[in-house]
Amino acid sequence: MGEVQYDDVAADLLAQAASNAAETLRGQGAGRRTAAESALDGFDGAYAKRFEESAQIEADDRPKLATVLDDLSTQVNATTAAAADERARQDALAAWQVRQDERDRAAADAPTDFVRLPGVQTFDFKPSEIPIAPPSISAAFSARSRTRTGSGTSGGKSSADPEYLRSFTSTARAFDRSAGADRTTLQNAWSGFTSSCGWAKIDSSTFLHGFDRLLEENGEDAAWVDRIADAFERAGGEGSISNATLDVSAAAELPPTFQEMLNPDLSADQVAALWAALGYSKADANDLRALPLPVLSVLGNLEGVDYWARDTANRTVLDARIRAAKQEVEDLESTIPYDNGAGWARASENLEALQQIDTASRFEQGSTAGERFILSLTDDVPPLAAVSIGDLDTADNVTWAVPGMGSDTTGMIGWTDSAQHIYDQQADTGPEDRAVISWMGYKTPPQPVISGKLDFGVLGSDYAEAGGDNLAASIRGLDAVRNGDAPTTNIVAHSYGSTTSAYALTQDDVQVDTFTTIGSAGLPNSVDDAGDLNADHVYAGQARDVWAIDPAKGDQWAWTGRLSPEHGQDPTAPDFGATAFGADGSGQLNPVEDHATHTEDERGYLDPNTESLTNIGFATTGHPELMTDPQPKGMTDFQKSLLENPQWTL
């Protein structure tokens, strides 16, 4: 006779936990139904039907699980009663055996001639020797999976109110947290029961896995509905979105078509073909904004994608990143005393860059100002970016404006102003439909002295080679988008930007119509002459070289860049073969009196009414015959005085 291994306390805990969980699940019915009905207010289309289907499956599965848990509680209570009966049977049989043993001993001790006298006879029946079998405990439940995208959603459009969808997910998650707490209690009770109630017979116990799966499906529903709400919010919060777009936005994973297009190993031509197959047009800009932010972040920088789409993607991402950056700056204010504000300063610089890009992409000046587009926005901190003045999808003439050392997107407004000056100047001789790109698309070398630290990266080529790859990719992207309708293409590069551009123009599959350098910091020594560059025409402008301590006006820094052992080639040198043009002033045109592209007195290389900008306008619109010639380069009075007085030292 074996001991009944059965802990009544553990069994009672399990029965109560199962009953409580069942009560919780049933009690959620009205609330979940109301939340789903509210979400369906204004929710129409295939995705609304998918939502209704999912809500109905949940409404069916949840009470089924509750019934299983109630049955489990009943079975456990029945098993507890059976265990009590078995214990009682064993105790009764043991007690009878004691009595029987006593009777047997008494009979053995009695005389052999003893005769029992007639009298009252007592009967002590032996209890059953057959053990009571424990009832079978079976608690099986399997939650059904739910279809959320595909299988008929791709055609047509859906509409929804994101506020109502958010309300649903908030309510649903609160219910799931409550049910999840009961599920944890049930798990603990089940573990205690199975470890201390070995007498119980368990046939099936899939209810916990099924409970988990129900909560997982509920959680996936809530995340799915949140992604749909995100999509509608990015699209403006109202109206309809194509189901094809929602298939991407609402899916937990990207569909294969998008995964293929976002492959970083694809060429711009391959991307262009895949993009065309998706069938998006400008009329679908609202749909495009509804795509997930990670997709938009890649799409906005993907060479081969139409520029209206990249602008749409980048503006959506930029708005989100500005909000996040503001919050980060606010959160890091409290850390200033602990790290000397390093984290806060970095976050503030990033916010400044993002806000500069935003302003540069929206601000327009002058009667000839063109519409602006954000062509790229990387996730660097601060980001790299490119803003186009004019529409690259249609422009007949496209110019990249490439900056030099010490440039980044914290100065995006200033560089875009310079690009705007080129755009305005081109109006005199160029086509009406044109575009100039304020291209802050590479990490430039810093100025040699920053906060007392020396950095002579400007004399090397690392920044230029990496930047050249980026610029070449941008040029290939335009070729891919405008395949069969190629515009005139130009590069105007300032200072170290000319070094960078030269590296781009030595790549085999890159070609532009014109390449113009201003204040060049020197082209790579590997470029022997203008013929080594993949540009039909090469132009070079250089203001008078002066020393930084020279009181004379002119370019103080370009010549120092050309002291580089790696990029010392002067594009204005007669034997280089470029067409040099004037920059020191001619007639009513102002001279360039500084290395910068813009100065307060408007004497920079790209300032209005300078000889330099006027010639750039002619060069980039196909009118080189109108360009002015450079003046002979002589020594300044200061330089002459040094030669005449060699005893002077600097």
Side-chain angles (χ1 to χ4, degrees):
M1 184 170 61
E3 180 184 358
V4 176
Q5 184 196 6
Y6 194 86
D7 185 336
D8 289 1
V9 173
D12 288 344
L13 288 174
L14 175 59
Q16 189 60 51
S19 180
N20 289 345
E23 183 179 358
T24 294
L25 291 170
R26 283 200 180 90
Q28 293 180 357
R32 284 185 179 273
R33 183 169 55 254
T34 299
E37 289 172 352
S38 296
L40 284 168
D41 188 1
F43 199 178
D44 296 306
Y47 268 81
K49 292 180 180 178
R50 282 284 180 265
F51 175 77
E52 284 186 281
E53 292 167 1
S54 291
Q56 187 59 55
I57 291 174
E58 192 282 332
D60 292 341
D61 281 357
R62 180 173 31 79
K64 287 180 182 178
L65 175 58
T67 298
V68 168
L69 296 179
D70 275 337
D71 288 346
L72 173 62
S73 180
T74 299
Q75 292 173 45
V76 171
N77 287 332
T79 303
T80 300
D85 291 344
E86 173 61 8
R87 288 194 188 101
R89 184 196 69 78
Q90 290 184 7
D91 290 345
L93 183 61
W96 179 88
Q97 190 64 54
V98 170
R99 294 192 301 274
Q100 183 61 36
D101 290 345
E102 182 62 29
R103 284 192 292 269
D104 290 345
R105 284 194 297 272
D109 293 341
T112 57
D113 58 351
F114 176 77
V115 178
R116 183 179 294 277
L117 297 174
V120 179
Q121 296 294 314
T122 60
F123 298 97
D124 188 4
F125 294 107
K126 182 178 182 179
S128 174
E129 292 184 287
I130 300 174
I132 296 174
S136 294
I137 293 177
S138 179
F141 172 74
S142 176
R144 288 175 292 169
S145 60
R146 306 168 198 175
T147 301
R148 299 178 180 88
T149 57
S151 300
T153 61
S154 295
K157 292 178 175 287
S158 292
S159 59
D161 187 325
E163 183 177 349
Y164 291 152
L165 298 184
R166 298 286 191 207
S167 178
F168 167 80
T169 59
S170 176
T171 299
R173 286 191 173 106
F175 281 136
D176 285 341
R177 284 193 295 270
S178 176
D182 282 343
R183 189 264 174 223
T184 299
T185 301
L186 184 61
Q187 166 72 63
N188 294 336
W190 178 254
S191 296
F193 177 78
T194 55
S195 63
S196 60
C197 298
W199 183 75
K201 180 183 177 182
I202 300 172
D203 284 346
S204 176
S205 59
T206 61
F207 68 98
L208 283 172
H209 176 74
F211 203 154
D212 285 339
R213 189 61 196 145
L214 176 66
L215 294 177
E216 288 171 4
E217 287 288 338
N218 288 352
E220 289 174 17
D221 264 357
W224 173 63
V225 173
D226 263 342
R227 290 193 293 270
I228 295 173
D230 287 341
F232 278 99
E233 285 176 346
R234 287 193 297 271
E238 58 185 20
S240 60
I241 297 174
S242 72
N243 293 322
T245 295
L246 285 174
D247 282 347
V248 181
S249 299
E253 296 182 353
L254 285 178
T257 51
F258 263 80
Q259 289 183 8
E260 183 181 6
M261 191 180 71
L262 301 183
N263 182 345
D265 295 328
L266 295 182
S267 68
D269 288 331
Q270 291 172 316
V271 169
L274 292 170
W275 169 253
L278 290 176
Y280 283 99
S281 68
K282 285 187 177 181
D284 302 316
N286 209 41
D287 279 3
L288 201 69
R289 280 188 284 270
L291 293 173
L293 283 175
V295 173
L296 293 175
S297 294
V298 177
L299 195 66
N301 297 281
L302 200 56
E303 300 296 348
V305 171
D306 290 346
Y307 293 101
W308 69 264
R310 290 172 63 174
D311 175 68
T312 301
N314 286 325
R315 288 186 187 279
T316 305
V317 172
L318 180 60
D319 288 345
R321 289 179 62 182
I322 288 175
R323 290 193 297 272
K326 286 180 177 177
Q327 186 61 55
E328 183 181 16
V329 169
E330 182 178 333
D331 292 343
L332 289 174
E333 284 181 352
S334 61
T335 69
I336 293 176
Y338 304 103
D339 65 352
N340 295 319
W344 177 86
R346 185 169 182 266
S348 297
E349 180 186 35
N350 185 50
L351 175 59
E352 170 65 16
L354 293 168
Q355 291 175 325
Q356 284 250 342
I357 295 166
D358 182 57
T359 301
S361 72
R362 300 178 189 278
F363 178 72
E364 297 181 2
Q365 64 178 20
S367 59
T368 61
E371 184 180 1
R372 296 192 179 185
F373 300 79
I374 305 178
L375 306 184
S376 63
L377 177 70
T378 71
D379 57 4
D380 300 273
V381 179
L384 303 176
V387 170
S388 169
I389 304 162
D391 187 352
L392 266 67
D393 288 320
T394 62
D396 297 317
N397 186 299
V398 175
T399 302
W400 281 264
V402 183
M405 71 173 182
S407 302
D408 61 38
T409 46
T410 59
M412 195 72 188
I413 294 174
W415 186 244
T416 306
D417 284 346
S418 293
Q420 180 73 56
H421 295 164
I422 298 174
Y423 182 91
D424 292 342
Q425 185 64 47
Q426 290 175 336
D428 290 347
T429 52
E432 181 177 353
D433 195 354
R434 63 192 184 282
V436 177
I437 305 169
S438 172
W439 193 79
M440 200 73 74
Y442 78 113
K443 185 177 181 181
T444 67
Q447 295 181 6
V449 180
I450 301 177
S451 301
K453 296 181 180 179
L454 296 178
D455 188 324
F456 291 101
V458 70
L459 296 180
S461 297
D462 291 345
Y463 291 94
E465 291 186 36
D469 289 341
N470 293 352
L471 181 58
S474 182
I475 296 169
R476 294 188 195 102
L478 180 68
D479 291 341
V481 172
R482 298 292 298 276
N483 183 29
D485 180 31
T488 299
T489 52
N490 316 279
I491 294 176
V492 175
H494 174 245
S495 190
Y496 193 82
S498 66
T499 316
T500 298
S501 300
Y503 276 108
L505 293 176
T506 54
Q507 298 191 20
D508 292 338
D509 55 348
V510 172
Q511 181 75 31
V512 296
D513 292 286
T514 74
F515 172 38
T516 302
T517 71
I518 45 175
S520 176
L523 305 189
N525 293 345
S526 58
V527 178
D528 292 328
D529 55 46
D532 288 342
L533 298 168
N534 295 325
D536 294 343
H537 304 282
V538 179
Y539 304 100
Q542 174 68 55
R544 181 172 60 170
D545 290 327
V546 297
W547 296 348
I549 59 173
D550 195 330
K553 300 293 186 180
D555 188 328
Q556 322 93 315
W557 298 114
W559 65 274
T560 63
R562 297 194 294 271
L563 296 176
S564 164
E566 298 178 16
H567 53 82
Q569 186 68 271
D570 183 355
T572 65
D575 58 354
F576 182 73
T579 300
F581 59 85
D584 293 316
S586 174
Q588 300 299 315
L589 299 175
N590 293 329
V592 171
E593 297 180 345
D594 194 271
H595 180 62
T597 57
H598 175 69
T599 66
E600 290 185 2
D601 58 355
E602 297 190 336
R603 295 296 190 272
Y605 278 101
L606 295 177
D607 272 323
N609 202 43
T610 57
E611 184 181 13
S612 170
L613 181 62
T614 302
N615 283 325
I616 289 170
F618 294 144
T620 55
T621 58
H623 293 280
E625 74 281 0
L626 300 177
M627 299 172 69
T628 59
D629 294 328
Q631 297 179 15
K633 304 297 184 183
M635 288 189 294
T636 66
D637 292 340
F638 181 76
Q639 293 167 343
K640 290 177 181 178
S641 65
L642 287 180
L643 291 177
E644 294 171 356
N645 299 278
Q647 70 275 16
W648 290 8
T649 57
L650 297 178

